[in-house]
């Protein structure tokens, strides 16, 4: 079947298409309806009962594949490699799930997971899924305030954590961050369970703290609890345009079907294959393609704790591919840029056998053609850019690797996948012609696996995604479709920036900067960065009576973002300006600031309040550049 045939089959009868996909999984009871379109994103497999953990683990064991590797943990930080068979992983998960049940966690309870890239983090997610608890994983690079925010919103009954995360050159103690986050939050979890790593022991000093091994000791193995297909599997907080993160809610049945279909059809990964998503379980890529999708097809997933460079060097990825005979690698373009910067001829791959590697998938940010072409040439395999979001859970546009692969086009993120009817529209929702850049929207209902709502924020959900373009989902991205039907995703239409494949809200950064006593007003924009794609740049207007040295304010602001949001914000640059460019109605012209910082040509916007301000900003940027030299 060609790509066109696949799309035609879906368009002709979407219910039959997704029924065929769903039939690969085991359902405790059948569905009444494949997709109920009452809600905008569609409600999938209504009436059915399902358990995601059963399908990810027990189903394969029952099919006689218990001795097959489910998970390979490879830590470049601790030089550890551990193999978990499906039997072993299921036993660990079932015992942890039993311990959760023993301590009163039941279906629908939230369990917050704040952990580094270790097998126990994967076990924690699957253990929640096993008993119908809703996991909410928080990325380890977020600091206490951000963690506290998520505790307040998700109201977890329990937090599962570890004593530390390991970054090159430093150990990040998690427990003090958890304690500080709980202190800042209006919600108190009943228990904090801590996996003690050898590299650092956490102080279990609070009454609610418990050591992981004690917590699971003697717990009986929990059975999989069948839940409604539509019940939440997890919430995952992602950046919106305000400082308050949005809790994406993902269901069980629709999600599993999307994971299974995409794993086989987009990535061409089946039960005897080894798949490696070099991401972090704190991001949606980690949820979908480190944990759920590879296990749902019965493949082997690689959990890598380390970086593409510096752990110990730019050969790290090639070593992992060789060691574990990885068939498909998924990472962010920034990781490839990091390798290319150090090893532009890929000499460091020469010592490794990469013959198992069949394809490289890239996503998380726009992939510059250079990066794509370089990796395709050096690795001599298809390199596939594909586009998706935390909200969608899997690719809106991609390719079909395997026999249905169509030619890739650099600069494009492939073509729309089944489930996603992608259109390019203007602000009034009129469809634009081929090649014209506009807002990227998807006709409702969305594909299976798409978010169901925002956690306890239904009206925000409706307003954010479905109000501006009635009948469509607003992706927040802009781009165009070319004459061969390829989608080109160019930029965001909102104030979200993408730093090293991590999505950040400039609004959230501004909220923190505004708390500095000397700052009267501020703006944050994303500026181009060779390695990370974008990095944030702060523009600070100081209070008239502030007597503080400008550099001191900047340093304090940088430190404040690091301690409130976390190092992952990569906020290292700010400049002091007299005024900010605004429209006559008072809206800050962030896109203008971003262009000025990137030294791009800026047309004076007709709505600008005072055009002379543009020269002031240019001068301030020039001054900063001179100081840096
Ligand atoms: N816990 C604590 N701190 C973390 C962290 C974690 N889990 N992850 C990152 N950080 C810290 C880093 O140590 C760094 O701190 P520093 O400012 O003291 O150096 C900071 O956050 C920024 O991290 P990052 O943007 O990851 O930069 P880096 O220099 O460490 O690595 C890359 C650069 C390109 C190698 C890295 O960003 C990368 O591999 N990106 C891929 C992203 C990805 O997988 N995205 C998911 C979509 S596929
Ligand atoms: P996240 O929700 O963190 O996965 O970030 C999603 C956002 O990252 C998208 O809305 C895009 O702005 C950007 N993005 C992800 N993948 C791509 C891609 N392949 N091309 C262009 N932008 C991308």
């Amino acid at each position: 079947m060609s790509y066109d045939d696949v799309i035609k089959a879906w368009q002709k009868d979407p219910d039959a298409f997704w029924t065929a996909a769903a039939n690969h999984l085991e359902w405790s009871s059948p569905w009444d309806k494949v997709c109920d379109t009452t809600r905008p994103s569609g409600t999938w497999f209504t009436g059915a009962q399902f358990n995601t953990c059963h399908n990810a683990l027990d189903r394969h064991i029952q099919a006689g594949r218990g001795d097959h590797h489910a998970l390979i943990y490879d830590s470049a930080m601790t030089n550890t490699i551990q193999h978990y068979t499906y039997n072993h992983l299921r036993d660990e998960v079932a015992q942890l799930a039993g311990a959760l049940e023993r301590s009163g966690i039941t279906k629908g309870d939230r369990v917050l997971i704040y952990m580094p890239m270790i097998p126990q983090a994967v076990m924690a997610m699957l253990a929640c899924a096993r008993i119908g608890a809703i996991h909410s994983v928080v990325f380890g690079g977020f600091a206490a305030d951000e963690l506290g925010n998520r505790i307040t919103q998700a109201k977890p009954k329990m937090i599962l954590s570890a004593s530390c995360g390991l970054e090159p050159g430093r150990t990040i103690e998690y427990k003090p961050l958890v304690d500080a986050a709980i202190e800042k939050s209006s919600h108190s979890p009943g228990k904090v369970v801590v996996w003690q790593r050898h590299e650092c022991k956490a102080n279990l000093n609070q009454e609610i703290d418990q050591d992981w091994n004690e917590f699971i000791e003697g717990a009986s193995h929990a059975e999989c609890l069948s839940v409604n297909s539509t019940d939440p599997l997890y919430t995952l907080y992602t950046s919106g345009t305000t400082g308050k993160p949005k809790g994406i809610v993902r269901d069980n049945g629709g999600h599993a079907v999307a994971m299974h279909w995409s794993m086989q059809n987009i990535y061409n990964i089946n039960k005897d294959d080894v798949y490696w998503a070099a991401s972090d379980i704190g991001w949606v890529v980690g949820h979908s393609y480190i944990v759920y999708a590879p296990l749902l097809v019965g493949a082997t997933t690689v959990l890598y704790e380390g970086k593409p460079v510096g752990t110990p060097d730019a050969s790290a990825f090639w070593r992992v591919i060789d060691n574990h005979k990885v068939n498909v690698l998924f990472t962010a373009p920034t990781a490839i840029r990091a390798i290319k910067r150090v090893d532009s001829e890929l000499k460091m791959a020469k010592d490794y056998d990469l013959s198992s590697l069949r394809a490289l998938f890239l996503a998380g940010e726009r992939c510059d053609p250079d990066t794509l072409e370089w990796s395709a040439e050096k690795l001599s395999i298809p390199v596939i850019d594909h586009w998706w979001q935390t909200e969608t859970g899997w690719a809106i546009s991609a390719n079909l690797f395997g026999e249905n692969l169509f030619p890739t086009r650099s600069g494009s993120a492939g073509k729309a996948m089944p489930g996603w009817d992608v259109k390019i529209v203007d602000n009034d929702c009129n469809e634009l012609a081929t090649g014209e850049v506009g807002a990227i929207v998807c006709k409702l209902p969305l594909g299976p696996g798409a978010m169901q709502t925002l956690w306890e924020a239904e009206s925000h959900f409706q307003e954010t995604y479905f109000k501006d373009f009635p009948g469509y989902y607003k992706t927040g991205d802009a781009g165009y479709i070319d004459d061969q039907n390829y989608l080109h995703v160019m930029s965001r239409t909102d104030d979200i920036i993408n730093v090293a494949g991590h999505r950040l809200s400039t609004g959230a950064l501004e909220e923190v900067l505004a708390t500095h006593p000397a700052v009267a007003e501020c703006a944050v924009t994303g500026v181009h960065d060779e390695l990370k794609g974008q990095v944030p740049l702060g523009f600070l207007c100081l209070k008239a009576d502030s007597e503080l040295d400008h550099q001191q304010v900047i340093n304090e602001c940088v430190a404040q973002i690091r301690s409130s949001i976390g190092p992952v914000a990569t906020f290292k640059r700010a400049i002091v300006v007299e005024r900010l460019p605004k429209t006559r109605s008072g809206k800050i012209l962030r896109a203008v600031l971003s262009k000025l910082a990137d030294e791009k040509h800026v047309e004076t916007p007709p709505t600008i309040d005072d055009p002379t301000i543009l020269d002031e900003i240019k001068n301030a940027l020039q001054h900063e550049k001179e100081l840096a030299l």
Side-chain angles (χ1 to χ4, degrees), residues 116 139-142 165-168 170 172 174 278-280 283 285 306-309 317 330-335 338 363-365 499-502 531-532 562 566-570 572:
F139 176 60
F142 283 125
L166 304 171
E167 283 293 295
R170 70 199 161 96
I172 296 125
Y174 278 21
S279 179
D280 189 289
W283 307 118
V285 175
K307 304 266 172 184
V309 293
F317 274 22
F330 176 176
T331 191
T334 188
E365 57 176 321
V499 179
H502 310 315
L531 173 65
K532 299 195 176 192
R562 198 174 167 92
V568 71
T570 319
K572 304 209 163 150

Side-chain angles (χ1 to χ4, degrees), residues 4 42 59 125 163-164 212 250 262 276 287 298 329 338 342 389 408 421 443 483 513 537 584:
D4 287 344
R59 183 168 62 93
M125 292 166 74
S163 53
C164 62
W212 188 290
R250 189 142 282 129
S262 61
W276 177 25
H287 281 60
L329 168 65
V342 180
Q389 313 179 306
T408 54
D421 187 357
K443 200 159 184 290
D483 55 355
L513 296 179
L537 169 64
R584 281 186 281 278

